[in-house]
């Protein structure tokens, strides 16, 4: 059976060496070897502090040479523990950003560790072990290297500098150090600085590589430890204008914001206005972020605002955003194509709404390709293309499609005969080019 400290350990970003030491301490605790449990726990805690220094840039008031010498001492098995105690204890040029009270608590537990290691007369029992574990849980996040935020921000900026960082470098190696470098009460200021940097780095198009990297940075932050994720979600919901820009760069971020139903509704109701916003729309649908009773309303917003070029596999400008096979099944299951059929063909939007028909031309072709023709579809198409002012972009799309899909063209002609409807000129011309002896219905 796991004890509470083990459960806490499981949710922390702790290096393997320290984690192994804590696991040893838990084994000793369960066996009643409390001196050994406290001893292993203290060494585990010391190891975490050591790693924070080793993987950090110089603390305030330390130069590179001095910091480098300290790191050498910390990787010396014979010296590192004493050096670590000295550095936590010193008040002049402190390395860790801790209060005097916290420094005194650390020294108390260092002395209890000495009781265990040197067989002194003080009794050590389970309350001591549990007390030290509570000390760790309460204060581990406070032992951060002075100046850590500035150091992290500089590393992130360097990550985006191609002169410093190769294109295949991973941002996750920097993100993993955030809990080791910052106190939780510093996260908000850190996110503000990161927001400022991101905004300055945004390009004119969210599709460029630089913007993708920024979107990936914020997404990776959301995938990191729970402590970061919780505070970042709060931050993003506070900074909604910025968040909308970040979502354009990485639509996977949207699923982390599901707790704010007002934001989600506002997102699809007001802010999905560009063709590549389809990706965000699909993310909302995949993750069931739109309530079932609002789905049809959201579909109509999409059909009324977005150019549906993402349904066209031949559109080279949208190729990275094209609909995937899995999306088709999701949209079908969620009733999207049913609404498309009702609006476009049964209610004949394509025949009386010029802009709607042109904007959704790729979707109309996609529907015909994947779901076939019937009398309602053919009637609506003929009515639309026979109009006084036919939607010329839809007409061009139909012309191109039927040129390559002669079976569909013949089916369209046959259904037109069945419903006794005159063929539009664009289809009549195509039919004549294939069969000069064909006659219209």
């Amino acid at each position: 059976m796991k004890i509470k400290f083990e459960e806490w350990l499981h949710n922390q970003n702790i290096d393997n060496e320290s984690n192994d030491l804590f696991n040893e301490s838990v084994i000793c605790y369960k066996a009643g070897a409390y001196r050994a449990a406290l001893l292993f726990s203290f060494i585990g805690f010391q190891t975490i502090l050591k790693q924070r220094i080793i993987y950090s840039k110089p603390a305030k008031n330390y130069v590179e040479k001095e910091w480098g010498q300290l790191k050498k001492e910390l990787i010396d098995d014979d010296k590192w523990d004493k050096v670590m105690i000295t550095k936590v204890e010193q008040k002049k040029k402190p390395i860790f950003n801790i209060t005097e009270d916290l420094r005194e608590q650390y020294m108390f537990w260092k002395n209890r560790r000495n009781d265990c290691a040197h067989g002194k007369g003080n009794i050590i029992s389970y309350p001591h072990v549990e007390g030290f574990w509570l000390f760790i849980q309460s204060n581990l996040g406070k032992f951060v290297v002075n100046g850590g935020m500035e150091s992290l921000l500089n590393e992130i900026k360097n990550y985006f500098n191609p002169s410093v960082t190769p294109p295949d470098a991973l941002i996750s190696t920097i993100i993993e150090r955030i809990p080791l470098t910052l106190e939780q009460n510093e996260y908000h200021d850190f996110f503000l600085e990161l927001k400022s940097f991101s905004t300055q780095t945004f390009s004119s198009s969210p599709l460029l590589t630089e913007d993708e990297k920024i979107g990936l940075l914020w997404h990776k932050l959301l995938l990191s430890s729970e402590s970061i994720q919780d505070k970042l979600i709060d931050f993003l919901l506070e900074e909604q204008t910025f968040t909308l820009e970040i979502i354009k760069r990485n639509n996977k971020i949207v699923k982390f914001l599901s707790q704010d139903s007002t934001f989600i509704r506002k997102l699809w109701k007001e802010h999905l206005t560009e063709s590549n916003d389809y990706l965000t729309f699909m993310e909302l649908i995949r993750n069931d972020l739109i309530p079932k009773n609002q789905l049809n309303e959201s579909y109509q917003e999409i059909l009324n605002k977005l150019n549906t070029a993402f349904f066209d596999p031949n559109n080279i400008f949208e190729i990275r955003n094209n609909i995937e096979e899995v999306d088709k099944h999701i949209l079908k299951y969620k009733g999207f194509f049913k609404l498309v059929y009702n609006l476009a063909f049964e209610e004949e939007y394509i025949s009386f709404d010029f802009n709607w028909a042109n904007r959704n031309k790729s979707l109309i072709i996609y529907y015909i390709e994947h779901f076939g023709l019937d009398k309602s579809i053919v009637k609506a198409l003929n009515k639309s293309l026979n109009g006084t002012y036919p939607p010329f972009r839809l007409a061009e799309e139909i012309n191109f499609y039927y040129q390559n899909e002669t079976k569909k063209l013949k089916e369209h002609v046959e259904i037109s005969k069945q419903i006794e409807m005159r063929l539009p000129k664009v289809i009549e011309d195509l039919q004549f080019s294939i069969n000069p002896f064909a006659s219209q219905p």
Side-chain angles (χ1 to χ4, degrees):
M1 180 180 175
K2 282 192 174 183
I3 58 178
K4 287 185 178 180
F5 183 66
E6 283 182 284
E7 294 174 358
W8 177 83
L9 273 177
H10 180 71
N11 295 318
Q12 307 306 306
N13 290 325
I14 295 176
D15 63 277
N16 290 335
E17 184 182 357
S18 302
N19 198 58
D20 288 344
L21 288 164
F22 283 126
N23 286 332
E24 289 281 349
S25 75
V26 170
I27 291 171
C28 293
Y29 171 85
K30 289 179 177 179
Y34 301 121
R35 288 178 181 271
L38 184 55
L39 184 58
F40 278 120
S41 290
F42 190 84
I43 298 172
F45 181 66
Q46 288 281 83
T47 302
I48 291 175
L49 302 190
K50 176 181 73 172
Q51 297 291 346
R52 289 184 177 182
I53 293 175
I54 289 174
Y55 291 108
S56 176
K57 297 291 184 181
K60 286 181 181 178
N61 302 318
Y62 282 81
V63 296
E64 286 282 355
K65 184 177 180 180
E66 187 179 13
W67 195 250
Q69 179 58 38
L70 173 58
K71 289 183 178 181
K72 285 183 181 179
E73 292 176 352
L74 289 176
I75 61 176
D76 186 328
D77 289 342
D78 296 324
K79 293 182 178 180
W80 80 271
D81 182 61
K82 289 181 180 178
V83 171
M84 196 71 258
I85 292 171
T86 301
K87 292 303 177 183
V88 175
E89 189 176 16
Q90 73 180 27
K91 299 176 185 178
K92 186 179 180 181
K93 291 178 66 173
I95 288 179
F96 294 109
N97 189 22
I98 57 175
T99 63
E100 181 59 26
D101 175 66
L102 188 52
R103 187 176 286 108
E104 289 176 0
Q105 290 184 60
Y106 169 87
M107 296 308 295
F108 170 82
W109 289 112
K110 184 269 294 185
N111 291 332
R112 300 293 72 74
R113 187 281 303 266
N114 289 349
D115 290 341
C116 300
H118 304 299
K120 294 187 177 181
N122 288 329
I123 296 173
I124 300 295
S125 189
Y126 68 89
H128 294 87
V129 182
E130 293 173 3
F132 183 56
W133 286 345
L134 290 173
F135 169 80
I136 295 173
Q137 291 171 254
S138 300
N139 300 298
L140 181 59
K142 298 175 184 176
F143 282 82
V144 292
V145 175
N146 253 325
M149 183 189 300
E150 184 180 349
S151 171
L152 277 174
L153 289 168
N154 285 334
E155 287 189 67
I156 291 172
K157 291 174 183 178
N158 284 335
Y159 173 80
F160 283 86
N161 184 347
S163 300
V164 177
T165 306
D168 58 347
L170 299 176
I171 190 67
S172 55
T173 57
I174 301 174
I175 292 174
E176 286 170 0
R177 294 207 298 278
I178 293 175
L180 307 178
T181 307
L182 303 180
E183 288 191 57
Q184 290 196 27
N185 60 16
E186 294 181 288
Y187 285 176
H188 190 272
D189 289 340
F190 176 72
F191 297 146
L192 279 174
E193 293 290 337
L194 207 54
K195 170 198 166 188
S196 177
F197 167 73
S198 299
T199 304
Q200 293 167 17
T201 312
F202 281 161
S203 63
S204 58
S205 169
L207 298 179
L208 296 181
T209 303
E210 203 71 1
D211 279 32
E212 286 184 340
K213 288 177 70 175
I214 291 177
L216 181 64
L217 164 63
W218 289 89
H219 184 229
K220 289 287 187 183
L221 283 168
L222 285 164
L223 291 172
S224 56
S225 68
E226 287 185 17
S227 60
I228 295 177
Q229 184 185 111
D230 291 344
K231 292 191 178 297
L232 181 53
I233 288 171
D234 290 341
F235 176 83
L236 291 174
L237 290 173
E238 288 173 12
E239 303 284 341
Q240 292 191 10
T241 301
F242 170 72
T243 302
L244 290 168
E245 290 298 321
I246 284 295
I247 288 172
K248 288 181 183 292
R249 275 80 185 173
N250 193 308
N251 57 83
K252 290 182 174 60
I253 287 171
V254 74
K255 67 183 177 184
F256 293 94
L257 308 174
S258 59
Q259 66 195 60
D260 191 333
S261 58
T262 301
F263 173 79
I264 295 296
R265 179 174 172 82
K266 191 175 180 181
L267 174 61
W268 61 258
K269 189 74 175 174
E270 297 181 8
H271 298 288
L272 300 186
T273 57
E274 300 174 14
S275 182
N276 60 293
D277 287 340
Y278 156 74
L279 295 174
T280 302
F281 169 66
M282 277 310 307
E283 199 66 25
L284 291 170
I285 298 299
R286 284 191 202 101
N287 292 282
D288 292 321
L289 300 186
I290 301 177
K292 190 174 182 179
N293 62 353
Q294 297 177 30
L295 279 175
N296 278 356
E297 182 186 2
S298 73
Y299 297 158
Q300 292 197 56
E301 290 290 334
I302 295 301
L303 296 172
N304 288 336
K305 292 177 181 176
L306 298 192
N307 181 322
T308 57
F310 43 81
F311 283 99
D312 181 3
N314 299 311
N315 190 325
I316 60 173
F317 299 106
E318 298 292 336
I319 193 68
R320 64 199 293 186
N321 297 331
N322 280 347
I323 185 171
E324 299 177 1
E325 187 65 21
V326 66
D327 296 341
K328 170 194 163 185
H329 293 294
I330 292 171
L331 289 173
K332 183 179 179 181
Y333 174 75
K334 296 278 189 176
F336 175 77
F337 291 114
K338 182 179 179 181
L339 182 72
V340 169
Y341 181 86
N342 290 340
L343 294 179
F345 309 123
E346 290 191 331
E347 297 185 28
E348 299 183 345
Y349 272 43
I350 61 172
S351 66
F352 70 77
D353 192 329
F354 178 90
N355 291 325
W356 196 98
N358 280 331
R359 185 171 53 252
N360 291 291
K361 63 186 188 303
S362 298
L363 175 57
I364 301 305
I365 299 299
Y366 185 91
Y367 189 96
I368 294 171
E369 171 69 19
H370 290 83
F371 301 101
L373 293 167
D374 65 15
K375 291 180 180 180
S376 294
I377 295 174
V378 170
K379 179 183 175 184
L381 281 171
N382 288 349
K383 198 171 181 180
S384 173
L385 300 180
N386 277 327
T388 306
Y389 299 103
F392 64 95
R393 295 192 185 281
L394 175 60
E396 290 172 355
E397 203 77 11
I398 289 289
N399 180 49
F400 179 78
Y401 177 70
Y402 280 165
Q403 281 182 39
N404 296 285
E405 298 289 338
T406 56
K407 287 184 178 180
K408 279 285 196 302
L409 171 63
K410 291 176 182 178
E411 187 179 355
H412 185 116
V413 172
E414 185 59 35
I415 293 175
S416 296
K417 290 178 181 179
Q418 293 173 17
I419 60 177
E420 299 181 347
M421 208 172 175
R422 182 171 66 87
L423 286 174
K425 187 175 187 307
V426 62
I427 295 177
E428 190 178 58
D429 290 345
L430 274 174
Q431 181 199 22
F432 183 78
S433 67
I434 295 170
N435 181 7
F437 302 103
S439 60
Q440 72 177 49

